[in-house]
Amino acid sequence: MEKTRYEIGLENLQKIDGKGGEAVIRSLETIAPDLGRYIVEFAFGDICAREGLSLQERELITLTSLLTAGGCEPQLEVHINAALHVGIPPEKIIEAFLQCIPYTGFPRVLNAVFAAKQLFDECKG
């Protein structure tokens, strides 16, 4: 039997975000369960299931997109954890952020770097 978009999405969510992604989806159950389902089905079941990019490449793109959008620090934190979870070293995450300076400016890059620093420190501690 063929897997549903939701089942594929849950598998990808686990591969990418581990427990962090599950926590986000669970946090939506009492207020916006459809939003959680849309995230699982579309973002992880459709988009992340596509061929052509590795999970690491997808996470780097996601990190820089969130940084560029600005004001997305909670989601940025989830995806910094996801980037670490799929094997992207902290130095590469910071380098991707630095690449954004000419295009998005120092304030957004600083916000992303400080979010990353907090998470990196927690992982060490």
Side-chain angles (χ1 to χ4, degrees):
M1 184 163 77
E2 193 171 315
K3 292 182 183 177
T4 66
R5 292 170 62 218
Y6 191 81
E7 291 168 332
I8 293 166
L10 282 179
E11 287 176 7
N12 284 330
L13 180 65
Q14 179 61 35
K15 283 183 209 172
I16 296 166
D17 284 331
K19 302 236 183 267
E22 293 172 17
V24 170
I25 301 306
R26 273 195 312 276
S27 72
L28 295 169
E29 287 176 352
T30 59
I31 189 161
D34 287 342
L35 178 57
R37 190 180 82 250
Y38 299 152
I39 291 168
V40 171
E41 289 178 346
F42 180 68
F44 293 94
D46 293 339
I47 301 300
C48 286
R50 295 177 54 83
E51 294 185 17
L53 294 173
S54 70
L55 293 180
Q56 288 186 351
E57 291 167 327
R58 289 181 188 285
E59 278 308 309
L60 282 174
I61 292 166
T62 301
L63 288 175
T64 57
S65 296
L66 291 167
L67 178 157
T68 300
C72 301
E73 284 73 22
Q75 292 79 23
L76 189 59
E77 290 174 13
V78 169
H79 284 280
I80 291 168
N81 274 321
L84 295 169
H85 190 255
V86 298
I88 300 173
E91 300 79 21
K92 194 166 193 173
I93 293 169
I94 297 301
E95 195 60 39
F97 292 166
L98 295 177
Q99 177 64 30
C100 296
I101 293 170
Y103 308 100
T104 61
F106 283 98
R108 288 187 175 157
V109 172
L110 282 166
N111 289 343
V113 167
F114 287 133
K117 181 185 182 323
Q118 182 178 347
L119 291 169
F120 298 163
D121 289 347
E122 289 172 11
C123 289
K124 289 179 188 174

